[in-house]
Amino acid sequence: MDKELIKKLANDPRFIPGVYNYCDRWCERCEFTSRCMNYALSEDEIDNPQTQDITNKAFWDQLHDIFKVTFEMLEESAEEMGIDLNAIDSEEFAKQQEQIRKTVKQQPYTKAAFAYTKMVGGWFKSNKDLLEEKGNELLSLAQAEIPGARPDKEALKIQDCLEVVRWYQHQIYVKLCRAASGMIRGELENNEYSPQDANGSAKVAIIGIERSIAAWGGLLNHFPQQEDSILDLLVHLKGLLRQVETAFPDARAFARPGFDAQGKLDDSQ
Ligand code: SF4
């Protein structure tokens, strides 16, 4: 990673400024890959399997470079803004961060989102055999080549629902922690930007919750024998959605760069 390259890319009109700030990081499914600077920067790394392997030296070298460049750019920005990073009381700062972290975890919606990650983990663990059986059943049907039967289509639908659930399982919690932290920071520091950023993160969480609800609904059709456990998850997610909407009433109106032309919740990304 090269600082000059980042600066050059940041001024490239092909890219939508900040499009990557409020996305769900699911680049494989994103329509803005050609307009996203973050994606352009990560393309080289994706091409190099060594930098994707945590046990490889190249992975750690690359991480070191990222930290180094990020810190250099942070220092430059601070200087331009007249902020003396050395003047920050690091002990006081660490104390404040710890307080924010604790408060974030105490929010009812972050607690509910964390509980959801566990519920999903439990569901997959308990239903490992069921999922395997379904896979084998669909494979047998495909091999039998029964006229009119489309087990391949059913398999793809199930796979899509499972991928959606897994993608957002932890992301909802992470985004809500970020949203909570933004709100708390905004109040503490009287900073206008933080609550706006919080609404953006909450909106990404809302989208994740709604897509997860749809995916669980799809799974319910394919696994009716799991009605009780799936309904529990759906009830939990719907409750979480209400909590998030109450805590962040302006989140849906937040206009994510690129994704929301009108600032309305656009689910077509
Ligand atoms: S905006 Fe799209 S391409 Fe860019 S990081 Fe987000 S998901 Fe990936």
Side-chain angles (χ1 to χ4, degrees), residues 19-20 23 25-27 30 33 36 38-39 259:
V19 65
Y20 44 78
C23 67
R25 296 291 162 130
W26 206 342
C27 303
C30 180
T33 47
C36 173
N38 199 46
Y39 185 80
F259 294 106

Side-chain angles (χ1 to χ4, degrees), residues 151-244:
D152 54 334
K153 277 194 174 175
E154 188 178 353
L156 284 175
K157 279 184 192 162
I158 294 173
Q159 186 187 348
D160 182 58
C161 291
L162 295 173
E163 282 180 6
V164 170
V165 166
R166 282 301 206 188
W167 191 263
Y168 296 108
Q169 176 186 357
H170 298 283
Q171 191 180 92
I172 294 167
Y173 171 67
V174 171
K175 291 292 174 187
L176 288 176
C177 285
R178 184 178 152 86
S181 154
M183 276 300 172
I184 297 163
R185 227 175 274 282
E187 281 165 25
L188 279 177
E189 298 162 4
N190 201 17
N191 169 346
E192 275 177 41
Y193 172 73
S194 292
Q196 276 180 39
D197 180 57
N199 280 324
S201 296
K203 184 164 183 175
V204 180
I206 287 174
I207 291 169
I209 295 169
E210 292 186 332
R211 289 182 180 169
S212 301
I213 289 174
W216 281 116
L219 289 172
L220 186 54
N221 289 331
H222 299 283
F223 299 101
Q225 65 276 55
Q226 279 304 311
E227 186 177 0
D228 287 352
S229 65
I230 292 178
L231 285 180
D232 278 352
L233 282 151
L234 284 168
V235 168
H236 189 87
L237 277 176
K238 289 201 169 170
L240 174 60
L241 184 60
R242 275 196 299 275
Q243 286 178 321
V244 178

